[in-house]
Amino acid sequence: MTTISSLANNTYTMYKMASGNTASTTSANSNLVSTFSSAYSPQKKTNAAQDSLTNLWSSYTASASSSSSLSGLSTIYGISSSATELVNSYNEARKVYQTEFSATMSDLKSSADNVAKLDTSKFSQDDIKTAEDGTKTYSDALKGAIKDIKQLVSDYNDALGTTNDYSSVSKRMKSIANTFADTTYRSDIYKQVGINVDSKTGELSVDEDKLAKALTENGSRVENALGKNGLAGKASHHADFALAQQDKAFPSMKTMLGSELNLASAYTNPKVLTANVQYNMIGNLLNMAW
């Protein structure tokens, strides 16, 4: 069994090897250092000392191939591999989220801007024509306004759905989802202009006939409910808030774990693990030589 004293000697000797200063070591240690240095020098020729050390090293690694230390190393490599797969999976999910989230909020801001700029005062009852069979047709301008409002409703529902889908990722994302679901408290105001609100989910739907009538009979009400001080303004504000929180709502693995991830990566880095095994092998070789 390796003793504390021999481990200390091993460490000291390896320090001497690294520093290239062996003047203060014992004669035996100096010979060992010389042998070690010779065996790993870039010279092409070999000598008996090199061959001896090579054979010793080969014998040791062969006997240690099934040892608990190498078995433990295999386990660590397995953990490292699994962790790598987990990190890659997390990063891929985050990448998909980033793309979807950005596109959804960008679309919402665009449609909200269009509705916020609508001039509802230009509409009148003449923008709706009723045929003898009761069929109603709308003017191009009215159809364009209805289309813009329906697009805003669709984009708002997409944003609501997206934030709900990711609400379990973090408390911050849950907060964003709750922000988009706040339409329920204005449901009565929206309903007056043809926008219905699901009381459970906050999802919006459009009653097109009622919306067209509201636009032609009371444009100012529609503007107050859906314009820059209404749904369009709230949608744009919610989108800006969501985009500002985007990285924190679904943080990167590095941001989430910080120095702990760096430490874990360092310990499971194949080069570090290999170096650690080699260090242990050298230590055991020195114990065998003493």
Side-chain angles (χ1 to χ4, degrees), residues 191-264:
K191 189 174 183 179
Q192 293 175 7
V193 298
I195 307 298
N196 299 317
V197 181
D198 188 301
S199 60
K200 293 182 179 179
T201 65
E203 188 171 310
L204 307 174
S205 60
V206 179
D207 182 333
E208 190 170 313
D209 288 339
K210 192 171 183 178
L211 174 58
K213 183 177 181 180
L215 281 166
T216 57
E217 294 182 357
N218 197 339
S220 60
R221 173 179 286 179
V222 176
E223 184 175 344
N224 289 333
L226 305 181
K228 62 181 180 181
N229 295 319
L231 178 61
K234 290 179 68 65
S236 184
H237 176 75
H238 291 346
D240 285 337
F241 171 73
L243 288 171
Q245 300 293 314
Q246 183 173 358
D247 289 338
K248 296 178 181 177
F250 200 142
S252 66
M253 188 72 78
K254 184 175 182 180
T255 299
M256 185 167 57
L257 299 179
S259 60
E260 293 184 11
L261 179 61
N262 293 334
L263 183 62

Side-chain angles (χ1 to χ4, degrees), residues 43-57:
Q43 299 173 357
K44 294 182 179 180
K45 295 182 178 180
T46 62
N47 53 37
Q50 288 175 291
D51 293 337
S52 176
L53 185 56
T54 298
N55 293 333
L56 179 62
W57 185 276

Side-chain angles (χ1 to χ4, degrees), residues 105-279:
M105 297 307 162
S106 177
D107 289 345
L108 179 58
K109 282 179 64 65
S110 178
S111 59
D113 185 54
N114 289 336
V115 173
K117 293 186 295 186
L118 277 179
D119 181 8
T120 59
S121 65
K122 66 181 181 181
F123 299 116
S124 68
Q125 294 181 7
D126 293 335
D127 287 292
I128 300 177
K129 303 297 183 181
T130 305
E132 292 183 359
D133 62 358
T135 303
K136 295 181 179 181
T137 58
Y138 306 142
S139 68
D140 289 342
L142 183 58
K143 284 192 291 186
I146 292 173
K147 180 181 178 181
D148 286 342
I149 293 171
K150 290 177 72 173
Q151 187 63 53
L152 171 60
V153 167
S154 176
D155 289 342
Y156 194 96
N157 287 339
D158 286 345
L160 177 62
T162 297
T163 54
N164 276 331
D165 288 343
Y166 290 104
S167 61
S168 61
V169 171
S170 66
K171 291 182 180 179
R172 197 180 296 266
M173 182 61 78
K174 180 65 175 178
S175 176
I176 295 174
N178 290 338
T179 297
F180 278 96
D182 73 353
T183 51
T184 54
Y185 85 95
R186 301 198 74 190
S187 59
D188 290 340
I189 296 174
Y190 296 149
K191 189 174 183 179
Q192 293 175 7
V193 298
I195 307 298
N196 299 317
V197 181
D198 188 301
S199 60
K200 293 182 179 179
T201 65
E203 188 171 310
L204 307 174
S205 60
V206 179
D207 182 333
E208 190 170 313
D209 288 339
K210 192 171 183 178
L211 174 58
K213 183 177 181 180
L215 281 166
T216 57
E217 294 182 357
N218 197 339
S220 60
R221 173 179 286 179
V222 176
E223 184 175 344
N224 289 333
L226 305 181
K228 62 181 180 181
N229 295 319
L231 178 61
K234 290 179 68 65
S236 184
H237 176 75
H238 291 346
D240 285 337
F241 171 73
L243 288 171
Q245 300 293 314
Q246 183 173 358
D247 289 338
K248 296 178 181 177
F250 200 142
S252 66
M253 188 72 78
K254 184 175 182 180
T255 299
M256 185 167 57
L257 299 179
S259 60
E260 293 184 11
L261 179 61
N262 293 334
L263 183 62
S265 298
Y267 276 126
T268 56
N269 185 296
K271 292 183 179 179
V272 174
L273 292 174
T274 301
N276 184 56
V277 170
Q278 291 177 344
Y279 181 91

Side-chain angles (χ1 to χ4, degrees), residues 70-134:
L70 292 183
S71 176
L73 177 62
S74 176
T75 300
I76 294 174
Y77 270 125
I79 293 173
S80 177
S81 177
S82 298
T84 299
E85 292 177 6
L86 177 62
V87 170
N88 288 340
S89 177
Y90 182 92
N91 289 338
E92 182 61 27
R94 186 171 185 270
K95 183 178 179 180
V96 171
Y97 149 79
Q98 291 275 13
T99 301
E100 180 182 0
F101 197 85
S102 296
T104 299
M105 297 307 162
S106 177
D107 289 345
L108 179 58
K109 282 179 64 65
S110 178
S111 59
D113 185 54
N114 289 336
V115 173
K117 293 186 295 186
L118 277 179
D119 181 8
T120 59
S121 65
K122 66 181 181 181
F123 299 116
S124 68
Q125 294 181 7
D126 293 335
D127 287 292
I128 300 177
K129 303 297 183 181
T130 305
E132 292 183 359
D133 62 358

